């Protein structure tokens, strides 16, 4: 089960894509490492966050779906831990390049958002879907997030990615619980022009839950999950409408991030290190 056409078209799973201290980031290089990443996802999504696993997933204690076989799996590894390499995996991010998605019938996020229409409007662009991001509790730090972005940036450079997209989540299935944060994204961070995209009509939930003048930006930003804050710092925009994912117990938004629109200071920040691993 080689991910993403033999590890992303000659992008070797052996290659390190980023390193900070004892932590390094690279792609999974074996079925065993992918299974270890799925086990971490199960611990975080189902055991910690309370998602409802399908029967097979609960039996094996792994979060797995049909996309895992065609994705690249970015791994954060703590090299200071004992044991086999797969036992040192402390975080993961799933990467689905456009070519692999097309061969599989579409991106994961198309079940929730009109992503196919967005991709069709940009035939000359190469899209990358990011998803299933999770890190074990002891490693949830700024350093680990920075390492993940080092790895993603090096991957994007190698694969010549033009646009990053994917779902990001608020906890719970009641959008009103996140009224100020969702309204902030709607009023101030909406994808515009040819980058506009909407939640699928059958699943569309409004995000404009508060008037623009009632939003306190600092409060809204404080209430954002860390992953969404990270996307915002990079300059990401968001789709119109959110979607309730009852299996995972989340309220999902869609991130739209053309590489050309990433804030220059973050390209300098992440790119300076990632460039060493992008060759």
């Amino acid at each position: 089960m080689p991910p993403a056409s033999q590890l992303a078209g000659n992008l070797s799973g052996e290659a390190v894509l980023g390193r900070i201290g004892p932590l390094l980031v690279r792609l999974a290089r074996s079925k065993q490492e992918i299974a270890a990443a799925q086990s971490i996802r199960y611990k975080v999504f189902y055991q910690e966050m309370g998602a409802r696993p399908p029967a097979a997933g609960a039996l094996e204690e792994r979060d797995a779906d049909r996309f895992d076989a065609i994705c690249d799996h970015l791994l954060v590894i703590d090299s200071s831990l004992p044991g086999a390499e797969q036992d040192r995996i402390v975080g993961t991010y799933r990467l689905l390049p456009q070519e692999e998605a097309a061969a599989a019938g579409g991106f994961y996020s198309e079940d929730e958002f009109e992503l196919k229409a967005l991709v069709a409007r940009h035939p000359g662009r190469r899209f990358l879907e990011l998803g299933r991001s999770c890190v074990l509790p002891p490693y949830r730090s700024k350093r680990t997030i920075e390492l993940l972005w080092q790895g993603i940036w090096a991957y994007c450079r190698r694969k010549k990615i033009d646009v990053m997209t994917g779902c990001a989540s608020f906890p719970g299935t009641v959008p009103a619980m996140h009224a100020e944060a969702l309204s902030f994204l709607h009023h101030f961070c909406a994808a515009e022009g040819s980058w506009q995209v909407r939640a699928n009509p059958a699943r569309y939930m409004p995000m404009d839950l508060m008037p623009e003048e009632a939003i306190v930006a600092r409060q809204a930003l404080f209430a954002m999950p860390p992953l969404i804050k990270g996307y915002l710092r990079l300059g990401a925009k968001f789709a119109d409408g959110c979607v309730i994912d009852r299996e995972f117990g989340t309220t999902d938004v869609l991130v739209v991030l053309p590489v050309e629109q990433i804030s220059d200071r973050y390209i300098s920040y992440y790119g300076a290190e990632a460039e060493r691993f992008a060759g």
Side-chain angles (χ1 to χ4, degrees), residues 111-151:
D111 186 53
E112 297 187 353
F113 294 90
E114 296 177 337
L115 187 53
K116 186 174 292 184
L118 176 65
V119 173
R121 289 200 299 274
H122 298 275
R125 309 269 188 155
R126 299 185 74 188
F127 281 71
L128 174 70
E129 184 181 51
L130 309 177
R132 290 297 206 275
S133 170
C134 65
V135 176
L136 293 178
Y139 294 88
R140 288 175 193 163
S141 66
K142 181 181 178 184
R143 183 172 69 166
T144 307
I145 297 299
E146 288 178 353
L147 183 61
L148 281 167
W149 278 110
Q150 269 190 36

Side-chain angles (χ1 to χ4, degrees), residues 146-223:
E146 288 178 353
L147 183 61
L148 281 167
W149 278 110
Q150 269 190 36
I152 290 168
W153 183 248
Y155 181 95
C156 287
R157 293 281 289 161
R158 290 186 180 199
K159 292 288 289 177
K160 296 179 171 58
I161 297 299
D162 299 301
V163 186
M164 289 181 268
T165 188
C167 290
S169 301
F170 288 84
T173 58
V174 182
M177 293 178 61
H178 308 284
E180 191 162 34
L182 288 171
S183 298
F184 180 92
L185 296 180
H186 173 83
H187 290 296
F188 302 109
C189 307
E192 298 178 339
S194 65
W195 297 109
Q196 285 183 323
V197 58
R198 287 174 55 89
N200 288 328
R203 304 188 67 177
Y204 182 100
M205 299 290 289
M207 294 168 61
D208 55 336
L209 304 175
M210 291 175 59
E212 181 176 334
E213 60 272 15
I215 297 169
V216 179
R218 180 172 293 185
Q219 291 180 181
L221 290 168
F222 182 78

